[in-house]
């Protein structure tokens, strides 16, 4: 059993080798939680919950009714349920779900995820694109990985921007949903740099074909 204090809340967590980081709470998860600013009216999704630390902390900060945990791994769901009971949260909702496949809600204000960043990016792509659809306007997604470039570009493309903070070799990404739809990709002319656009305009004025 792990005993840990996070944000002045003491947690007891049963864990085993079937889930990620069985001997301690992962440093990346702690870095992500350190960046989370809890709001009284939050509705939180702990996506890929593992043994449940993020969702259980969220329920302690908020209420059980405001939090949903999910994981594709049956062992993670089982352990999260055990740990919810250990931490006096018997009514915490915990589902087995392949990313969002068993989640119907589209009114989350915060999605937190420590994705499997040693695999390919297909899961992360589903987390980011599906997360946009399941957040309310103003909602935010927090992710932590050891890779920066792909996540920064993908979150920027979907959310229109992202803030990145590096902590101990981990990158914590925070993006907010500011529009109802994913921003359209710019066409080729829009994608030209301002310098190239000015050059093109000058050539047209001079009578050159471009």
């Amino acid at each position: 059993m792990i005993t840990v204090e996070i944000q002045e809340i003491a947690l007891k967590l049963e864990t085993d080798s079937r889930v990620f980081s069985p001997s301690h709470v992962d440093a990346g998860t702690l870095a992500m939680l350190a960046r989370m600013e809890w709001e009284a009216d939050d509705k939180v999704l702990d996506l890929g919950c593992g043994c449940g630390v993020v969702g259980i902390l969220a329920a302690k900060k908020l209420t059980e009714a405001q939090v949903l945990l999910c994981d594709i791994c049956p062992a993670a769901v089982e352990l999260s349920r055990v740990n919810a009971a250990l931490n006096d949260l018997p009514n915490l909702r915990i589902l087995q779900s392949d990313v969002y496949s068993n989640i119907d809600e589209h009114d989350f204000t915060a999605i937190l995820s420590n994705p499997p960043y040693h695999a390919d990016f297909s899961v992360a792509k589903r987390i980011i694109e599906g997360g946009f659809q399941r957040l309310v306007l103003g909602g935010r997604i927090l992710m932590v990985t050891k890779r920066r470039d792909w996540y920064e570009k993908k979150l920027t493309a979907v959310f229109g921007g992202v803030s990145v903070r590096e902590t101990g070799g981990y990158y914590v990404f925070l993006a907010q949903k500011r529009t109802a739809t994913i921003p359209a990709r710019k066409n080729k002319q829009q994608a030209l740099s301002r310098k190239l656009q000015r050059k093109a305009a000058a050539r047209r004025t001079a009578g050159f074909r471009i």
Side-chain angles (χ1 to χ4, degrees):
M1 179 182 289
I2 298 172
T3 56
V4 63
E5 184 174 303
I6 306 173
Q7 299 178 5
E8 301 182 346
I9 294 178
L11 301 177
K12 298 174 289 185
L13 302 166
E14 288 284 356
T15 185
D16 63 39
S17 59
R18 296 175 295 171
V19 297
F20 173 66
S21 191
S23 62
H24 60 280
V25 178
D26 171 60
T29 296
L30 293 174
M32 178 176 66
L33 287 170
R35 195 166 186 195
M36 176 64 180
E37 295 183 3
W38 309 98
E39 303 289 344
D41 61 349
D42 268 335
K43 181 176 179 179
V44 176
L45 174 61
D46 176 6
L47 186 60
C49 60
C51 69
V53 59
V54 171
I56 289 170
L57 178 69
K60 289 287 190 179
K61 287 284 187 178
L62 305 167
T63 68
E64 289 171 279
Q66 291 172 262
V67 182
L68 174 63
L69 292 73
C70 76
D71 203 296
I72 191 174
C73 174
V77 172
E78 175 189 335
L79 281 169
S80 292
R81 288 174 177 160
V82 168
N83 289 328
L86 277 175
N87 290 277
D88 303 314
L89 299 167
N91 299 312
L92 189 57
R93 289 194 303 152
I94 304 164
L95 300 176
Q96 184 175 354
S97 181
D98 179 5
V99 191
Y100 303 104
S101 60
N102 291 330
I103 298 172
D104 296 327
E105 292 100 320
H106 288 72
D107 60 347
F108 294 102
T109 64
I111 297 173
L112 291 87
S113 184
N114 185 345
Y117 46 82
H118 295 299
D120 63 33
F121 295 113
S122 60
V123 174
K125 182 174 183 287
R126 292 170 62 198
I127 290 172
I128 293 168
E129 293 179 354
F132 184 93
Q133 302 300 338
R134 283 161 177 80
L135 287 168
V136 298
L137 278 175
R140 65 269 193 216
I141 186 169
L142 282 91
M143 301 180 73
V144 60
T145 79
K146 283 193 170 182
R147 300 180 179 184
R148 177 167 182 160
D149 290 350
W150 185 90
Y151 286 89
E152 186 172 10
K153 290 175 182 176
K154 184 63 178 178
L155 284 161
T156 298
V158 173
F159 284 83
V162 63
S163 172
V164 187
R165 181 180 298 172
E166 192 274 334
T167 304
Y170 291 89
Y171 297 100
V172 180
F173 303 88
L174 172 61
Q176 187 175 35
K177 181 174 178 176
R178 300 182 183 276
T179 61
T181 58
I182 294 174
R185 293 183 179 180
K186 295 179 179 179
N187 63 36
K188 185 178 291 187
Q189 178 64 28
Q190 290 173 320
L192 287 171
S193 70
R194 290 181 179 178
K195 183 177 179 181
L196 288 177
Q197 289 183 35
R198 287 195 298 268
K199 280 187 175 182
R203 288 172 64 85
R204 283 195 296 270
T205 301
F208 292 104
R209 297 181 62 188
I210 60 170

